[in-house]
């Protein structure tokens, strides 16, 4: 096969360059020697306007040095650092507008006295905008997820700690599960709000559903009873089982005069008695 003439090679290179989806530049001695139509469009240049331009003026990192005498050398050095390493840099259009681009730099002739580089340029503005939009959506999704979790946690908290008005002036709080410090503080706060709202004189704390009872739980229970006593509300403890009774005796727990009962019915009978009512088979007298 016969070799192509230099003119034919240039024609073929130009044809291939026009067919490239990405912008294509050939840079030698820090100057643009060839630019395909895509590159001209990317940089906002008229046909042939980029040829002979200083490559450094097209790079944001070097643009401020456009007046420096060694700019061509700096541009060549900048391209040499990016050979065979794809990366993104900010480039500059001829009107001064900057845009992010993905670059791929290769050396055309390593034996030439001055380095010749082939540079492909891909505008990644839309991709960056899409990535930013996706990041924003992910952040918004995470915020919505956390808000939903918080709302669910609040619903669970409400369901796991109901404060019920069982009679005028009497509130009942069934504790279910375990009692830790956070839950004890929450129970105390909600009880104080309910007592003030209902003008309650007696609060029955039902421990029948309490699954785990330890020394800390007993201390927290005593703390709740003392707080209610300070505001003049009688606390009655229902559902005292053997395990809890032994724990209270061992720790010599002071429940601030709060009476303890085996069942909620006994505690309710006590509460109504405090209010001047009495339970009978026919109802409340």
């Amino acid at each position: 096969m016969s070799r192509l003439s230099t003119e034919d090679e240039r024609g073929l290179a130009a044809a291939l360059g026009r067919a490239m989806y990405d912008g294509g530049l050939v840079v030698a001695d820090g100057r643009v020697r060839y630019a395909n139509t895509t590159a001209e469009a990317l940089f906002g240049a008229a046909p042939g306007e980029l040829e002979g331009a200083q490559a450094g003026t097209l790079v944001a990192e070097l643009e401020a040095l456009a007046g420096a005498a060694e700019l061509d050398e700096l541009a060549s050095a900048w391209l040499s650092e990016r050979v065979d390493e794809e990366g993104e840099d900010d480039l500059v259009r001829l009107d001064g507008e900057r845009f992010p681009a993905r670059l791929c730099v290769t050396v055309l002739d390593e034996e030439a006295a001055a380095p010749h580089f082939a540079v492909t340029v891909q505008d990644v503005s839309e991709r960056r905008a899409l990535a930013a939009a996706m990041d924003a959506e992910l952040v918004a999704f995470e915020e919505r997820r956390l808000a939903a979790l918080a709302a669910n946690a609040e619903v669970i908290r409400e369901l796991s700690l109901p404060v019920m008005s069982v009679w005028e002036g009497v509130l009942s709080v069934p504790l279910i599960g375990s009692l830790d410090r956070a839950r004890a503080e929450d129970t105390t706060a909600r009880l104080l709000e309910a007592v003030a709202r209902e003008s309650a004189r007696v609060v029955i704390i039902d421990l029948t559903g309490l699954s785990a009872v330890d020394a800390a739980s007993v201390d927290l229970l005593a703390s709740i009873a003392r707080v209610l006593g300070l505001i003049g509300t009688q606390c009655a403890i229902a559902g005292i089982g053997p395990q809890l009774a032994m724990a209270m005796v061992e720790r010599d727990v002071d429940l601030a005069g709060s009476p303890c009962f085996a069942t909620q019915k006994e505690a309710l009978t006590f509460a109504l008695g405090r209010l001047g009512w009495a339970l009978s088979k026919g109802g409340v007298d």
Side-chain angles (χ1 to χ4, degrees):
M1 180 181 294
S2 60
R3 289 179 54 84
L4 294 174
S5 66
T6 301
E7 183 177 350
D8 289 336
E9 288 178 349
R10 288 177 179 174
L12 178 58
L16 291 173
R18 286 192 295 271
M20 287 176 60
Y21 176 78
D22 294 335
L25 300 172
V26 174
V27 179
D29 299 327
R31 303 258 172 175
V32 177
R33 302 304 181 187
Y34 169 78
N36 68 356
T37 54
T38 304
E40 291 172 338
L42 284 175
F43 287 97
E49 188 176 4
L50 282 179
E51 294 183 13
Q54 286 184 301
T57 61
L58 306 178
V59 180
E61 187 177 332
L62 303 175
E63 180 194 18
L65 305 174
E70 66 275 14
L71 182 60
D72 292 343
E73 295 179 6
L74 291 173
S76 295
W78 186 86
L79 289 170
S80 296
E81 293 175 356
R82 286 157 178 77
V83 170
D84 297 330
E85 291 186 8
E86 291 191 17
E88 293 184 5
D89 290 281
D90 285 344
L91 302 184
V92 185
R93 306 187 202 279
L94 296 189
D95 62 3
E97 179 187 359
R98 298 188 178 194
F99 67 99
R102 184 165 187 80
L103 305 180
C104 180
V105 181
T106 56
V107 178
L108 291 178
D109 187 355
E110 296 180 352
E111 298 180 358
H116 287 61
F117 302 98
V119 185
T120 58
V121 183
Q122 182 182 30
D123 189 342
V124 295
S125 300
E126 292 186 2
R127 192 184 72 186
R128 282 196 184 180
L130 179 60
M134 292 178 63
D135 288 342
E137 181 59 31
L138 286 175
V139 170
F141 172 79
E142 182 66 12
E143 291 176 348
R144 292 194 298 270
R145 188 182 71 85
L146 293 177
L149 288 176
N152 290 339
E154 180 63 20
V155 171
I156 293 173
R157 186 180 71 88
E158 293 286 342
L159 294 175
S160 65
L161 186 60
V163 179
M164 301 177 293
S165 177
V166 296
W167 199 263
E168 185 177 353
V170 181
L171 298 177
S172 176
V173 181
L175 293 181
I176 302 172
S178 60
L179 181 65
D180 56 17
R181 180 166 299 281
R183 193 177 183 201
E185 292 175 354
D186 191 27
T187 300
T188 303
R190 295 190 61 195
L191 275 177
L192 292 176
E193 293 176 2
V195 166
R197 183 177 63 252
E198 302 289 340
S199 299
R201 294 171 56 190
V202 182
V203 172
I204 300 173
I205 299 180
D206 186 3
L207 307 180
T208 305
L210 204 61
S211 61
V213 179
D214 55 18
S217 300
V218 173
D219 290 339
L220 292 171
L221 184 61
S223 175
I224 294 174
R226 286 195 295 271
V227 170
L228 291 174
L230 289 175
I231 62 174
T233 300
Q234 177 71 62
C235 179
I237 310 297
I240 299 291
Q243 183 183 5
L244 180 57
M246 291 178 61
M248 293 171 67
V249 170
E250 290 175 357
R251 295 185 63 80
D252 191 22
V253 174
D254 179 15
L255 292 177
S258 301
C260 299
F261 303 93
T263 66
Q264 189 177 45
K265 180 179 178 181
E266 294 173 350
L268 181 58
T269 301
F270 164 80
L272 294 177
R274 290 273 299 179
L275 299 177
W277 298 87
L279 284 176
S280 66
K281 290 185 178 180
V284 180
D285 300 325

